[in-house]
Amino acid sequence: MDFSLGEDRQMLVDTLGRFLAGNFDWKTRETVIETAEGWSRPVWAQLAELGVIGALFDEASGGFGGSAFDIGVVFAEVGKALAVGPFLGTLLAGRALAATGETALLEQAIAGEVTLSAALDSDAAQGVADGEGWALTGTQPVVPFAASADRIVVAARTGEGPSLFLIEKGAPGIEIRDYPLIDGGAAGELMLDGAAATLLGQAGEAGAIIEEAVAAGLVALCWEAVAIMDSLKVQTLEYLRTRKQFGVAIGKFQALQHRMATLALEIEQARSSAINAADRFAKGRLEREKAVSAAKFTIGRVGSLAAEEAIQMHGGIGMTWELPLSHYAKRLVMIGHQLGDEDMHLERFIALGQDALATAS
Amino acid sequence: MDLSFTQEDEAFRAEVRAFLQDKLPARLSDKVRKGQRLTKADMEEWHAILNARGWLANHWPVEWGGTGWSVMQRFIFETEVALAHAPRIVPFGLSMLAPVLIKYGSEAQKKHWLPRILDGTDWWCQGYSEPGAGSDLAALKTSAVREGDHYVVNGQKTWTTLGQYADMIFCLVRTDNKGKKQEGISFLLIDMKTPGIEVRPIKLLDGDYEVNEVFFTDVRVPVENLVGEENKGWTYAKYLLTYERTNIAGVGASMAAFERLKQVAATQRRNGRPLAQDPQFAARLARLEIDLENMKTTNLRVLAAAGAGHAPMAESSMLKIRGTEIRQQISDLMRRAAGVHAQPFVTEALEEGFNGPAVGPDFAAPAASHYFNYRKLSIFGGSNEVQREIISKAILEL
Ligand SMILES: Cc1cc2nc3c(=O)[nH]c(=O)nc-3n(C[C@H](O)[C@H](O)[C@H](O)COP(=O)(O)OP(=O)(O)OC[C@H]3O[C@@H](n4cnc5c(N)ncnc54)[C@H](O)[C@@H]3O)c2cc1C
């Protein structure tokens, strides 16, 4: 068994970590999250140049990575820096484009020339054939950086079943109600009223593609979350060692020591769940899906614990906007709300287990 | 044992309900129900309505404007007010300072300050905490040095809730550096307009401004604004904190919030069914309901004991811990119920009269903000860790 990242991946981690520390420091983040778009195009362009976006996709689709571990390490660095940008939308849309052979557009995204987003709830919209193309109707909620995206991959139900489409910024029938997010960044309600769309792949065949893309997104979020937990842990430990009350560092109080010990243990469990998810990603469907749901459940549970404990152990100062800690806590809790929460994934894990039993018997 | 309310209690409840029906402005209850931000004027409006009815200072002695209600009647009142979504009454003057003045203040102080609290002339804030003195409150450094008929105050207070609106601040100040640190503290009333006071807002993680730093540079305070005796402030401060803690339990507020949560769970759908039928969510909801029901009775037991003359010292710590945990859990479930729509941060939707397009279900807009903001409940009023210290020492004698 080998738990090391391997030389190439370690290099990617080091490069990306250094870049974000230098070019997306806390001051930059504070400025960027107050802008209308909620992310930095120049930083994104440099990330593309460094090959960070390409690392999310395999060579056949124009990238040079694409394994679940590649995805994981990139998102861990995103989490560490609390970077905002269309990372998740690009990953989800890109995986769907790759799976449907749309590599030309994906290559442009990898080069940072085109901004992508994805809205993958196929029950949130319907598609009907409309001459050469298709028309989509419905509302896709909280689509990441929807207003900034040049192209959005949209899932919708057609007569044939779940299908994938591509829509273009500014096409008729598209309205986006955009807003900032509580954890930084932006998103929007994507309101489609007969919006002109191009079909990706075959109508009705998108179920498996969507599931795989979402699984990649779940791996990404889980690795991002673990990195945020690590950061919360480091910041809290530092505070416990330096903040003095009653004449001693508050870290000397056994009540807090035990809480911190529990938290450290839980974070290791969460890390293992994220590793499991990446490891099972390339295995069979059932193994992959059980592992990503297990990880998202664990991350949700430990995530709110870590966020709440980190704030609590900081006392009043942990509640302030000025301290980065509160922003890490907010992001971590909000990861719980993306691509299905802890309860949903627990239910899903149970259902997948029952499916497996049914197939076996 | 009989846990039913007496006939008189029920008649009293009906009277309170009729009053609320009649006098609580729909504009205000609507804002509270939607979780929108209350302005200073909103809070003052409700304060004045209660005062006009003579129910504002219900826990004060009758001679100063109290109602003479039993503890049970007060409980009923607080519960009904919360269930009707009335704005909370800012507690600093009415429920924190006033009990201290009534017990320890001079006649002149009572005559001067109590009516002004009632009619809203003075908005009070609480100047206890300092950057270096949070849980270890007795470590406070802000100094007051006697110079003739004034104290000269220097130092800094922090986390001062709604200090931006305040006319007056009651402060714990250091008047003696010798001996035990608890024995050199005094309780001083300071006019916020005195030269040398500067208020700086602190932005909290939900983006809102409700706390402040207050700086004092050579602030001159007349000696008649000293409450009780010099260097005895710690006694008064502890007395006040006990009041603060029972207040914090907020059972009425929890009941109101839980009702709203149940409505949300009945209507908000996930996976093709209402959340109330989602096994995981239903289990969370049930646990919370059970805990809240237990809490209600725990609270009533403490109140009954208090009615029988026992001072609720350490018990108030229990109420504080569990009461705040329950309020936090309700806000936690609200945020969970909002699903993906917990993420949008549409601050305009938190202001009165917002009629822009709603993003997601209407309860979702303040859900995450409230959840994060409510982390404060387990931190202030003596953190829940400190409350556990009190329980283990004072009740369990460990
Ligand atoms: C929103 C908000 C509003 C507030 N409003 C007011 C106000 O109006 N007026 C006012 O005076 N103050 C106010 N406070 C301050 C509040 O009372 C303090 O934050 C509180 O006393 C904790 O102090 P601290 O923040 O310095 O944390 P610290 O005392 O530094 O505590 C940090 C952590 O250490 C823990 N800890 C400390 N001592 C021990 C121990 N012995 N054993 C175990 N754990 C321990 C704490 O529980 C906490 O988890 C407010 C605070 C907040 C957050």
Side-chain angles (χ1 to χ4, degrees):
Chain A
M1 228 170 258
D2 177 12
F3 283 103
S4 70
L5 290 177
E7 212 172 303
D8 288 354
R9 226 173 266 136
Q10 190 59 52
M11 248 169 63
L12 172 67
V13 169
D14 294 344
T15 313
L16 178 52
R18 250 196 324 273
F19 173 79
L20 288 172
N23 298 270
F24 197 82
D25 60 2
W26 198 253
K27 276 228 104 36
T28 311
R29 184 181 193 274
E30 282 180 323
T31 319
V32 165
I33 63 171
E34 298 292 343
T35 60
E37 285 205 300
W39 60 295
S40 164
R41 286 180 184 272
V43 169
W44 188 259
Q46 286 168 284
L47 285 169
E49 208 168 302
L50 283 177
V52 172
I53 304 166
L56 305 175
F57 306 102
D58 64 15
E59 280 168 29
S61 10
F64 53 83
S67 81
F69 285 103
D70 297 321
I71 296 170
V73 297
V74 168
F75 276 80
E77 293 307 309
V78 168
K80 200 162 140 195
L82 220 55
V84 289
F87 296 98
L88 185 66
T90 302
L91 173 67
L92 294 172
R95 302 291 294 199
L97 290 174
T100 52
E102 299 287 337
T103 45
L105 179 58
L106 181 52
E107 275 168 27
Q108 285 180 285
I110 288 171
E113 293 156 7
V114 162
T115 307
L116 298 177
S117 186
L120 297 186
D121 181 357
S122 62
D123 291 326
Q126 289 84 45
V128 290
D130 182 18
E132 295 281 276
W134 291 74
L136 305 185
T137 299
T139 297
Q140 291 274 4
V142 200
V143 179
F145 295 99
S148 297
D150 301 305
R151 302 271 203 293
I152 305 179
V153 173
V154 182
R157 202 153 281 280
T158 63
E160 292 83 1
S163 310
L164 279 170
F165 299 91
L166 195 63
I167 61 169
E168 229 174 286
K169 189 180 196 147
I174 301 177
E175 202 189 317
I176 293 168
R177 157 105 170 87
D178 61 325
Y179 39 73
L181 299 178
I182 191 151
D183 52 344
E189 304 294 287
L190 176 62
M191 294 173 283
L192 306 165
D193 183 13
T198 329
L199 180 70
L200 296 173
Q202 300 291 311
E205 305 279 306
I209 298 172
I210 295 171
E211 197 175 65
E212 200 260 6
V214 170
L218 288 167
V219 169
L221 288 176
C222 290
W223 282 65
E224 182 182 350
V226 172
I228 294 173
M229 292 176 199
D230 282 336
S231 177
L232 285 173
K233 187 177 96 179
V234 169
Q235 293 176 63
T236 305
L237 281 174
E238 173 67 21
Y239 197 70
L240 291 181
R241 291 194 181 105
T242 48
R243 169 66 170 173
K244 285 199 172 141
Q245 288 288 275
F246 305 99
V248 293
I250 56 174
K252 290 286 172 223
F253 297 127
Q254 201 168 43
L256 299 189
Q257 290 172 349
H258 284 193
R259 300 253 294 271
M260 212 51 220
T262 302
L263 187 59
L265 177 165
E266 291 284 13
I267 293 174
E268 291 317 314
Q269 288 285 88
R271 189 184 327 282
S272 295
S273 80
I275 292 171
N276 284 346
D279 177 67
R280 315 290 197 271
F281 188 78
K283 307 258 163 76
R285 184 231 163 208
L286 198 61
E287 241 187 304
R288 178 190 73 204
E289 292 304 318
K290 277 190 77 174
V292 294
S293 275
K296 192 59 174 31
F297 162 73
T298 307
I299 254 74
R301 185 178 65 73
V302 181
S304 40
L305 178 79
E308 290 173 6
E309 287 288 69
I311 292 175
Q312 182 67 25
M313 288 192 250
H314 272 77
I317 205 89
M319 297 267 316
T320 59
W321 185 277
E322 203 183 328
L323 199 73
L325 180 104
S326 71
H327 298 266
Y328 280 83
K330 286 190 284 185
R331 174 70 193 127
L332 185 54
V333 173
M334 286 302 117
I335 286 178
H337 288 254
Q338 293 184 280
L339 302 183
D341 72 357
E342 141 192 11
D343 287 357
M344 197 221 109
H345 281 287
L346 182 60
E347 280 291 302
R348 188 164 182 270
F349 184 87
I350 295 169
L352 287 164
Q354 287 163 350
D355 285 357
L357 273 181
T359 347
S361 60
Chain B
M1 243 183 249
D2 179 7
L3 272 66
S4 53
F5 289 98
T6 63
Q7 236 171 353
E8 293 80 53
D9 287 339
E10 290 302 346
F12 174 74
R13 186 192 304 279
E15 190 188 351
V16 174
R17 282 193 182 161
F19 162 77
L20 290 167
Q21 182 94 43
D22 198 27
K23 290 287 184 327
L24 172 61
R27 185 185 71 82
L28 291 182
S29 56
D30 200 47
K31 281 183 83 166
V32 173
R33 198 174 39 76
K34 287 183 182 151
Q36 291 176 337
R37 291 172 176 169
L38 295 174
T39 63
K40 183 186 188 201
D42 291 338
M43 295 186 253
E44 286 175 335
E45 185 180 345
W46 180 234
H47 179 107
I49 293 170
L50 282 178
N51 189 40
R53 182 66 181 80
W55 285 356
L56 179 66
N58 58 72
H59 52 289
W60 294 9
V62 177
E63 52 174 316
W64 293 110
T67 52
W69 290 345
S70 66
V71 283
M72 212 49 85
Q73 285 176 313
R74 268 156 52 191
F75 175 79
I76 291 170
F77 178 75
E78 267 165 36
T79 312
E80 291 301 323
V81 163
L83 285 173
H85 301 293
R88 74 172 191 134
I89 287 292
V90 178
F92 304 112
L94 193 75
S95 306
M96 295 191 190
L97 176 62
V100 170
L101 285 180
I102 289 166
K103 194 163 160 92
Y104 301 105
S106 67
E107 277 309 296
Q109 285 172 334
K110 292 182 214 181
K111 283 213 174 82
H112 181 70
W113 297 113
L114 294 178
R116 294 165 65 98
I117 290 175
L118 286 179
D119 70 14
T121 307
D122 298 321
W123 182 298
W124 284 90
C125 64
Q126 179 188 24
Y128 273 26
S129 306
E130 297 181 7
S135 300
D136 185 12
L137 184 57
L140 62 94
K141 288 208 181 79
T142 298
S143 68
V145 177
R146 179 93 185 240
E147 274 183 21
D149 54 3
H150 280 84
Y151 286 103
V152 179
V153 177
N154 279 287
Q156 185 200 339
K157 294 293 171 183
T158 191
W159 311 122
T160 319
T161 298
L162 301 182
Q164 68 265 41
Y165 301 149
D167 305 295
M168 295 291 300
I169 181 169
F170 56 89
C171 278
L172 292 181
V173 292
R174 182 151 302 285
T175 37
D176 192 348
N177 277 312
K178 303 182 286 288
K180 268 184 75 183
K181 53 188 185 173
Q182 285 83 355
E183 286 160 11
I185 293 171
S186 299
F187 197 106
L188 214 50
L189 313 177
I190 305 178
D191 187 334
M192 292 291 280
K193 286 182 292 295
T194 322
I197 295 184
E198 193 199 337
V199 179
R200 286 188 210 151
I202 299 173
K203 188 177 181 182
L204 289 187
L205 77 178
D206 59 346
D208 207 3
Y209 292 99
E210 64 180 68
V211 292
N212 303 270
E213 295 178 292
V214 183
F215 296 86
F216 300 84
T217 316
D218 295 330
V219 174
R220 295 178 68 79
V221 182
V223 286
E224 60 259 31
N225 282 13
L226 173 76
V227 175
E229 289 175 51
E230 205 178 79
N231 297 332
K232 289 276 158 48
W234 188 248
T235 310
Y236 317 148
K238 280 201 312 201
Y239 177 70
L240 179 155
L241 277 176
T242 316
Y243 259 88
E244 183 179 354
R245 274 166 211 158
T246 8
N247 237 349
I248 275 177
V251 170
S254 284
M255 286 165 64
F258 186 76
E259 280 310 307
R260 178 123 169 85
L261 176 61
K262 265 199 335 207
Q263 286 165 9
V264 164
T267 50
Q268 178 71 7
R269 298 175 79 81
R270 182 174 308 166
N271 290 338
R273 61 191 170 199
L275 278 173
Q277 287 168 31
D278 177 279
Q280 303 301 329
F281 198 88
R284 290 183 188 277
L285 202 60
R287 284 203 186 93
L288 192 48
E289 184 169 358
I290 291 166
D291 224 14
L292 177 55
E293 206 50 39
N294 297 343
M295 176 76 209
K296 263 196 272 181
T297 297
T298 308
N299 196 7
L300 286 169
R301 286 168 53 209
V302 173
L303 288 177
H310 301 283
M313 283 301 288
E315 285 81 2
S316 78
S317 295
M318 293 192 172
L319 294 182
K320 199 268 169 170
I321 294 173
R322 190 37 57 97
T324 53
E325 285 173 353
I326 288 175
R327 286 174 74 185
Q328 289 179 331
Q329 281 161 15
I330 296 173
S331 73
D332 179 56
L333 287 206
M334 273 291 193
R335 129 180 116 67
R336 290 173 190 271
V340 289
H341 284 115
Q343 302 167 79
F345 188 45
V346 185
T347 45
E348 312 89 78
L350 303 180
E351 305 296 341
E352 182 182 346
F354 171 73
N355 56 7
V359 174
D362 66 347
F363 73 89
S369 294
H370 279 188
Y371 162 79
F372 288 116
N373 182 274
Y374 272 9
R375 308 317 315 160
K376 72 187 175 190
L377 299 178
S378 48
I379 295 172
F380 67 22
S383 75
N384 285 12
E385 289 74 31
V386 168
Q387 304 302 333
R388 285 185 164 87
E389 287 286 307
I390 294 174
I391 292 175
S392 54
K393 294 211 170 76
I395 301 187
L396 307 176
E397 297 178 0
L398 285 171

